[in-house]
Amino acid sequence: MDAVTEEQVVQWVAAALEAGRGGRIVTPNIDICRIAAADPALKDLVSSADLVVADGMPLVWAARLLGTPLPGRVTGADLLWALSRLAARRGWPVYVLGGGPEDVAQRAVGALTSRFPRLRVCGAYAPPFGFDASPEGRELVRRRVVAARPKLVFVGLGFPRQDRLIADLRKELPGTWFLGCGAAIAFAAGTVPRAPEWMRRAGLEWAFRLATEPGRLARRYLVDDLPFAARLLGRCLAARLKAPM
C-alpha cells in the first residue's frame, strides 16, 4: 500500500497528467486482498499499479499493527469526486465506465456535473453483464473508450474485471489515468446507498452494505472476507509482537 492521503493522490495524478503521463489506481479492500492472495496473476495486477491505496479500514489497522501506519483510508468512492473536481478545474475530459444497468453511468454523470458544472464528460457507458466473455464485447468497450480520448477514466466493474480491462486500455491510452472504483459509480448515481460518515470512520461500512444488500453480500462478507480479515490482523499482530524492540 502507498502511504498517501487522498489529497496526495490528487496531486500525484495532476502532476503526472501535466507531464503527459498516465497511470492506474487500485483501491484494495479485504475482498480484493483475499482474491489476489489466492491468485499470483491477480496479485501482480494489483501490485503493479502506479498507486495502491487502502480502501478498507482493516488494511489500515493491519498496517498500524505492523508498525508501518498509513495516513488513513483512501476510497474509490471518495476519489471519484476528488478527481472529478480536479478534472473540472483543469478542463480534463473524463469517461465513466460501468456502475450497473445502463442508466447508472448516466445518473452518475448527472450527479458529478451537478456538483462540478465545468466538468467535461466525454463518454459514459455501462457494458452488459458478461461483455468480457467474448472478443467482440471487449472490443466494443475498447473502441468506445479509446475514441473518446479521456484524461481520466472511472471504471466500476468490480475486481478483477475492471482491473484487467484497465491494464489493456492503458496500452492504448498511455497518457490517461484510470481509477478502478467498484461501487463508487453506483454510489454517485444514488442507486446504491453509502454508509454514513461515522460508520465509514469506524470501519463499519461493510455492516451497512450488508444490511442494505444481504442477499448479494452475506456470503462474501461473512463467509469469505471476515475470516480472511481476522487471519490478516492476527498475523500482523503476531509479527509485531515478534519484532525486536
Side-chain angles (χ1 to χ4, degrees):
M1 302 290 168
D2 290 300
V4 291
T5 64
E6 179 183 303
E7 181 56 32
Q8 287 172 323
V9 172
V10 173
Q11 293 171 358
W12 187 312
V13 172
L17 283 174
E18 290 285 3
R21 300 190 308 271
R24 60 186 179 96
I25 304 170
V26 178
T27 59
N29 54 22
I30 281 292
D31 195 58
I32 290 176
C33 289
R34 175 183 61 81
I35 296 170
D39 187 325
L42 294 181
K43 181 180 178 182
D44 289 343
L45 184 63
V46 171
S47 61
S48 62
D50 298 270
L51 283 170
V52 182
V53 293
D55 188 291
M57 276 305 297
L59 303 181
V60 176
W61 297 333
R64 191 176 301 158
L65 285 172
L66 285 175
T68 56
L70 299 171
R73 288 180 78 197
V74 182
T75 71
D78 292 328
L79 282 174
L80 176 72
W81 294 97
L83 292 173
S84 292
R85 181 186 299 111
L86 170 69
R89 290 174 177 169
R90 302 293 181 90
W92 290 327
V94 305
Y95 197 105
V96 178
L97 182 63
E102 183 65 38
D103 66 330
V104 174
Q106 295 293 345
R107 290 173 67 172
V109 167
L112 291 169
T113 53
S114 177
R115 184 177 299 184
F116 310 118
R118 295 173 57 192
L119 182 66
R120 293 173 53 200
V121 179
C122 60
Y125 178 53
F129 182 78
F131 77 94
D132 52 341
S134 70
E136 295 79 14
R138 293 192 297 272
E139 176 62 15
L140 174 61
V141 173
R142 186 200 66 80
R143 286 202 311 268
R144 281 176 177 257
V145 178
V146 171
R149 311 306 297 178
K151 285 296 184 183
L152 285 158
V153 183
F154 305 128
V155 189
L157 296 169
F159 181 85
R161 178 177 286 114
Q162 66 192 16
D163 303 273
R164 286 171 171 154
L165 178 61
I166 287 170
D168 289 340
L169 290 171
R170 280 278 291 124
K171 301 169 187 174
E172 298 197 62
L173 294 169
T176 298
W177 272 84
F178 294 83
L179 170 67
C181 56
I185 295 173
F187 289 154
T191 56
V192 174
R194 194 177 181 201
E197 178 64 29
W198 72 267
M199 294 189 79
R200 291 181 240 162
R201 289 197 304 269
L204 293 173
E205 188 164 12
W206 67 273
F208 179 88
R209 294 202 64 197
L210 177 61
T212 56
E213 299 182 83
R216 189 174 74 85
L217 297 176
R219 178 174 178 80
R220 180 198 301 180
Y221 285 174
L222 300 179
V223 178
D224 298 329
D225 291 352
L226 196 57
F228 181 87
R231 291 194 301 271
L232 173 67
L233 293 171
R235 288 197 300 268
C236 290
L237 177 59
R240 180 67 179 272
L241 293 174
K242 289 179 181 178
M245 300 300 290

